[in-house]
Amino acid sequence: MKRKDRNAVHTLAHGESPLPLYHRLYVILRERIVNGDYRAGHVLPSEADLMTSFGVSRITVKRALDDLAAEGLVERSRGRGTTVTQAGASMRVGSPISASIDGLLTSLSVIGQGTSVEIDAFEYQPANPYVAEQLRIPVGTVVQRASRVRHLNSEPFSHSTSYVLESIGRSFTADDMLNTPLIDLIQRSVTIAQVQQAITCTLADNVSARLLKVSVGSPLLKLRRVFIDTDGRPVDFAEILYTPDRFEYRMTWSRNANNQLEVDTENTAISL
């Protein structure tokens, strides 16, 4: 199983993004709060630690934290540091669009078979509030977490983090994931009846930058998917980051018999 150097250094100062450094840092920290990485009461890394991690000046860090505070996501206090507020931890991106797309599972399987995968992490851990909400399970329920990087022509194009119900995750190993698409492994245990998906954008943080070989703050496409079985039970929640120059999601809308536009499932495609 291939693994990469976790000590690789990336800084916000690298790259040619038009966004100011403080705003790039603000977006990264905000993303971590909204995603549940930093929960209510969590104390963010100190200004000195953020300066070291992202290779920026103290004034850049201070302005990013001030913007988070102005938005009500954190509280700043001398001696206590910067703490995530309940309001900040409660923020969630709007409910994903629910769609049953014929051919999506086939497309995911084909992508898996036509690319190579690198396992960055494979473990069982308690679900944080955000993951628990997506899978509709109690906070702290053990789930399988896997972090993978997919390569096409030896270059990384996606970084995915999946959270699978433990009962299903125990049916396969990390080595299985090297050779078989995750969707195929899951469907050995259950049948996927629906996929809820949301597409948005984000900036690469220090982890995704290392894995995708881009600069911190580089733009990425972000997909969030919840896979639901025939019993209406979410069995897998995944977040996938794509480099925009190597990924395209195409969707066609057609007018139905009721003169309303709807997704044409036969002309929905993922392109690499």
Side-chain angles (χ1 to χ4, degrees):
M1 184 185 304
K2 296 190 297 181
R3 300 210 181 250
K4 291 191 177 180
D5 180 9
R6 292 181 179 275
N7 296 318
V9 177
H10 294 272
T11 72
L12 283 175
H14 292 160
E16 299 180 353
S17 171
L19 295 175
L21 287 178
Y22 78 87
H23 189 73
R24 280 183 266 171
L25 178 57
Y26 155 82
V27 170
I28 290 172
L29 296 177
R30 187 183 190 279
E31 183 86 2
R32 292 178 179 178
I33 293 171
V34 172
N35 280 350
D37 293 336
Y38 296 150
R39 291 180 273 178
H42 183 103
V43 178
L44 267 59
S46 68
E47 290 186 3
D49 287 341
L50 290 173
M51 290 167 59
T52 300
S53 297
F54 293 98
V56 295
S57 67
R58 184 175 296 276
I59 192 169
T60 295
V61 172
K62 184 178 184 304
R63 185 161 182 183
L65 295 177
D66 285 346
D67 282 0
L68 290 172
E71 195 175 344
L73 302 182
V74 300
E75 290 181 347
R76 306 200 66 197
S77 175
R78 185 179 299 276
R80 293 182 54 192
T82 303
T83 306
V84 177
T85 63
Q86 183 61 53
S90 298
M91 288 187 67
R92 290 291 181 269
V93 179
S95 299
I97 297 171
S98 177
S100 181
I101 304 178
D102 295 337
L104 173 61
L105 301 184
T106 300
S107 296
L108 295 178
S109 181
V110 169
I111 287 176
Q113 295 167 6
T115 59
S116 61
V117 66
E118 177 182 353
I119 307 295
D120 182 63
F122 184 89
E123 59 193 351
Y124 288 87
Q125 63 179 39
N128 65 32
Y130 180 55
V131 172
E133 179 182 346
Q134 305 304 314
L135 292 175
R136 302 181 210 159
I137 56 177
V139 174
T141 301
V142 174
V143 295
Q144 178 204 90
R145 175 185 175 274
S147 171
R148 294 161 294 148
V149 180
R150 283 207 170 273
H151 295 76
L152 181 67
N153 298 328
S154 300
E155 290 297 324
F157 75 87
S158 75
H159 169 222
S160 62
T161 305
S162 59
Y163 302 88
V164 178
L165 295 183
E166 183 182 17
S167 59
I168 297 173
R170 295 291 182 184
S171 68
F172 57 87
T173 66
D175 287 340
D176 291 329
M177 297 182 74
L178 287 173
N179 303 305
T180 305
L182 177 58
I183 190 62
D184 292 345
L185 294 173
I186 290 175
Q187 291 206 112
R188 291 176 181 177
S189 300
V190 298
T191 299
I192 300 300
Q194 187 183 59
V195 181
Q196 295 181 343
Q197 176 170 279
I199 304 175
T200 184
C201 57
T202 188
L203 298 180
D205 62 11
N206 52 332
V207 175
S208 56
R210 170 176 61 84
L211 295 174
L212 292 174
K213 296 182 180 179
V214 298
S215 300
V216 172
S218 297
L220 299 174
L221 292 174
K222 179 177 179 179
L223 271 68
R224 297 190 308 279
R225 292 189 179 120
V226 178
F227 295 82
I228 300 172
D229 67 10
T230 52
D231 293 326
R233 177 184 60 159
V235 296
D236 174 31
F237 167 56
E239 291 192 333
I240 310 101
L241 300 174
Y242 294 95
T243 52
D245 59 327
R246 308 201 72 189
F247 178 86
E248 182 180 76
Y249 188 88
R250 298 192 303 274
M251 182 179 293
T252 300
W253 293 77
S254 300
R255 197 170 297 279
N256 62 20
N258 296 320
N259 201 34
Q260 295 177 328
L261 290 175
E262 62 181 14
V263 176
D264 182 349
T265 57
E266 294 184 358
N267 291 295
T268 297
I270 296 172
S271 177
L272 300 179

